[in-house]
């Protein structure tokens, strides 16, 4: 075995951190066995090398890890060293200082061991992980095994619990409700021409892009058609400007949103701006989109919620939308153009308002929750 380097005294700040926390980032040798000159860690072949690593119970900010070990010298193990890194291409970190600590140390607890913490795990992110066993010596030094094999895994999307937290934050700023009468969708003329010629006049659902919260379970998975429903405060009608094209399809609200549809909360985000977006999903009851959302998204009462309501007054359906957020509504079934009208708008095409693949501001206190990054 290699000679151990002398580590800092047991009362050093590093030792205090290790003493007080069960998981903390520390500077260790890398997976290839290279060490910083002052790392104070030696390799001892007598310690068993973890193998057959298994990752389970993966959430957006935690996972369980277990492995097998030979029984030889197993009783000498006091700690586990875990090398957890985002899976990135080879050039992405070429300017990163090589001694930036990326390792975790944990006391040797029974396996499987839970690793959690929003300060180093992000939702829907690919990671690599490798493990060493370690034995802490009386002088504060460590001896360690060789690194295990490297395992790859991906963290999960936000759960309904996390989305409910986002929902509650969105409700705080939704503002008062304004009346609406139509849903509308802006596109280029070519889009509507293609729909008529190749899809029998019916707009087809497509997979949602990756805009919004990084952990959103609908991004890249839910199929639907985006509609808007916000109105101008002074006219009660849709705005004449749009970032998505100069042609607008308008459809009476009751044709998409009624007692035969379910309403779900999908996301809440901003793009480094003062205004915020809320994504809602309207799905015909029992449709594939409805089944998808029922498993993953908080369901809203269509008559009583802070964002978009549908209720009957005097035998007529009346609709309201939140004033202080921009609503993006996803309808999960095809929509025939004959159910509404297509016309050119008179306003400007404001590309700066586009949300296509928009990245959420991770520092905004209004629309972020304490899970992942």
């Amino acid at each position: 075995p290699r000679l151990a380097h002398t580590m800092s005294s047991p009362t050093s700040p590093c030792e205090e951190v290790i003493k007080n926390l069960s998981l903390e980032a520390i500077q260790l040798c890398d997976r290839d066995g290279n060490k910083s000159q002052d790392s104070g860690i030696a390799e001892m072949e007598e310690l068993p090398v973890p193998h057959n690593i298994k990752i389970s119970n993966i959430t957006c900010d935690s996972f369980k890890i277990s492995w097998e070990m030979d029984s030889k010298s197993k009783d000498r193990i006091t700690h586990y060293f875990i090398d957890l890194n985002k899976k990135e291409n080879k050039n992405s970190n070429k300017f990163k200082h090589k001694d930036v600590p990326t390792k975790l140390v944990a006391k040797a607890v029974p396996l499987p061991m839970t690793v959690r913490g929003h300060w180093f795990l992000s939702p829907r992110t690919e990671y690599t992980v490798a493990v060493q066993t370690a034995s802490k010596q009386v002088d504060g030094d460590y001896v360690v095994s060789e690194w295990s094999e490297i395992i790859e895994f991906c963290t999960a999307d936000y759960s309904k619990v996390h989305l409910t937290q986002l929902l509650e934050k969105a409700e705080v700023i939704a503002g008062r409700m304004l009346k609406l009468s139509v849903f509308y969708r802006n596109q280029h003329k070519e889009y509507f021409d293609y729909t008529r010629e190749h899809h029998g006049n019916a707009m087809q659902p497509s997979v949602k892009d990756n805009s919004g919260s990084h952990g959103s379970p609908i991004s890249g998975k839910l199929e639907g058609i985006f509609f808007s429903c916000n109105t101008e405060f002074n006219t009660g009608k849709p705005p004449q400007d749009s970032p998505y094209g100069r042609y607008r399809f308008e459809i009476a609200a009751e044709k998409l949103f009624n007692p035969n549809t379910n309403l779900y909360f999908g996301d809440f985000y901003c793009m480094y701006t003062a205004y915020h977006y809320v994504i809602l999903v309207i799905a015909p009851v029992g449709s594939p989109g409805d089944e998808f959302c029922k498993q993953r998204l908080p369901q809203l009462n269509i008559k009583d919620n802070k964002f978009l309501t549908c209720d009957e007054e005097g035998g007529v359906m009346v609709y309201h939308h939140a004033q202080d957020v921009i609503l993006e509504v996803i309808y999960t079934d095809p929509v025939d153009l004959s159910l509404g009208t297509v016309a050119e708008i008179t306003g400007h095409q404001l590309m700066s308002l586009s949300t296509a693949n928009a990245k959420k501001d991770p520092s905004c206190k209004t629309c972020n929750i304490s899970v992942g990054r």
Side-chain angles (χ1 to χ4, degrees):
R2 301 177 189 170
L3 293 175
H5 295 286
T6 302
M7 200 173 188
S8 305
S9 67
T11 57
S12 69
C14 184
E15 282 296 299
E16 287 300 319
V17 170
I18 294 171
K19 195 185 305 179
N20 295 329
L21 298 175
S22 60
L23 276 179
E24 185 55 82
I26 64 170
Q27 182 174 297
L28 302 176
C29 55
D30 62 28
R31 293 171 179 169
D32 297 323
N34 302 315
K35 287 180 286 187
S36 301
Q37 290 187 355
D38 60 348
S39 68
I41 299 172
E43 292 180 14
M44 293 283 288
E45 291 187 9
E46 289 82 358
L47 285 177
V49 180
H51 62 276
N52 195 23
I53 296 175
K54 295 190 183 303
I55 305 292
S56 60
N57 295 80
I58 300 172
T59 72
C60 67
D61 68 340
S62 69
F63 62 92
K64 285 188 176 182
I65 185 170
S66 63
W67 56 82
E68 297 175 9
M69 293 181 287
D70 296 332
S71 58
K72 181 181 177 183
S73 299
K74 196 173 179 179
D75 57 348
R76 293 179 53 231
I77 298 172
T78 62
H79 291 79
Y80 303 135
F81 293 157
I82 302 172
D83 186 6
L84 180 67
N85 290 291
K86 285 186 179 180
K87 184 182 175 185
E88 297 170 313
N89 63 55
K90 292 180 179 179
N91 296 322
S92 62
N93 271 343
K94 64 181 179 179
F95 297 114
K96 181 177 176 181
H97 194 283
K98 66 179 180 180
D99 282 336
V100 172
T102 59
K103 315 301 186 294
L104 308 170
V105 61
K107 290 182 178 178
V109 296
L111 299 175
M113 178 178 69
T114 299
V115 179
R116 65 162 51 91
H118 71 269
W119 51 276
F120 61 81
L121 281 173
S122 299
R124 197 186 279 206
T125 303
E126 291 185 327
Y127 287 91
T128 63
V129 64
V131 187
Q132 285 176 313
T133 57
S135 177
K136 188 175 182 179
Q137 308 301 293
V138 292
D139 61 357
D141 197 4
Y142 287 91
V143 292
V144 298
S145 72
E146 296 284 348
W147 282 110
S148 70
E149 73 271 29
I150 297 172
I151 299 297
E152 298 179 0
F153 72 99
C154 185
T155 47
D157 299 331
Y158 284 155
S159 67
K160 275 189 182 180
V161 171
H162 302 123
L163 285 170
T164 299
Q165 294 175 22
L166 267 183
L167 165 62
E168 291 168 352
K169 291 179 79 74
E171 288 175 338
V172 172
I173 71 159
R176 69 172 181 157
M177 304 291 277
L178 302 177
K179 277 192 175 183
L180 71 107
S181 59
V182 299
F183 290 101
Y184 54 97
R185 174 173 172 80
N186 280 71
Q187 282 286 347
H188 298 286
K189 181 177 182 296
E190 292 76 15
Y191 168 83
F192 295 111
D193 290 343
Y194 189 88
T195 296
R196 295 185 186 97
E197 294 170 16
H198 298 278
H199 292 299
N201 216 42
M203 294 186 291
Q204 299 298 310
S206 59
V207 177
K208 183 194 171 298
D209 65 11
N210 288 315
S211 61
S213 299
H214 191 54
S216 172
I218 62 176
S219 293
K221 296 180 180 178
L222 177 67
E223 293 189 359
I225 305 170
F226 263 109
F227 285 91
S228 299
C229 65
N230 290 80
T231 58
E232 291 183 321
F233 179 77
N234 56 342
T235 66
K237 295 181 179 180
Q240 280 300 308
D241 300 323
S242 169
Y244 300 111
R246 295 195 55 81
Y247 283 77
R248 173 174 293 169
F249 171 73
E250 283 191 12
I251 183 170
E254 61 265 23
K255 292 185 179 179
L256 296 187
F257 188 33
N258 52 63
N260 295 318
T261 57
N262 284 328
L263 181 68
Y264 298 90
F265 173 82
D267 201 4
F268 177 45
Y269 70 100
C270 72
M271 303 178 295
Y272 304 89
T273 56
Y275 43 89
H276 282 79
Y277 295 83
V278 168
I279 297 180
L280 303 175
V281 182
I282 297 175
V285 174
S287 67
D290 189 35
E291 294 304 313
F292 177 96
C293 294
K294 197 172 292 182
Q295 306 295 324
R296 298 167 177 84
L297 305 180
Q299 186 170 348
L300 302 176
N301 183 332
I302 65 170
K303 295 183 179 181
D304 182 20
N305 67 80
K306 298 288 187 181
F307 311 109
L308 182 65
T309 59
C310 160
D311 205 355
E312 187 175 329
E313 294 180 12
V316 178
M317 300 305 295
V318 178
Y319 296 86
H320 290 85
H321 70 88
Q323 172 186 351
D324 294 335
V325 292
I326 300 174
L327 297 178
E328 298 182 298
V329 179
I330 301 176
Y331 188 77
T332 62
D333 273 12
V335 177
D336 199 290
L337 292 177
S338 65
L339 296 175
T341 60
V342 177
E344 188 172 3
I345 61 173
T346 58
H348 301 287
Q349 188 172 338
L350 304 175
M351 294 308 296
S352 61
L353 294 179
S354 174
T355 61
N357 288 307
K359 299 303 179 187
K360 179 175 182 174
D361 178 0
S363 65
C364 178
K365 291 181 171 58
T366 301
C367 61
N368 281 283
I369 55 177
S370 297
V371 177
R373 296 195 173 197

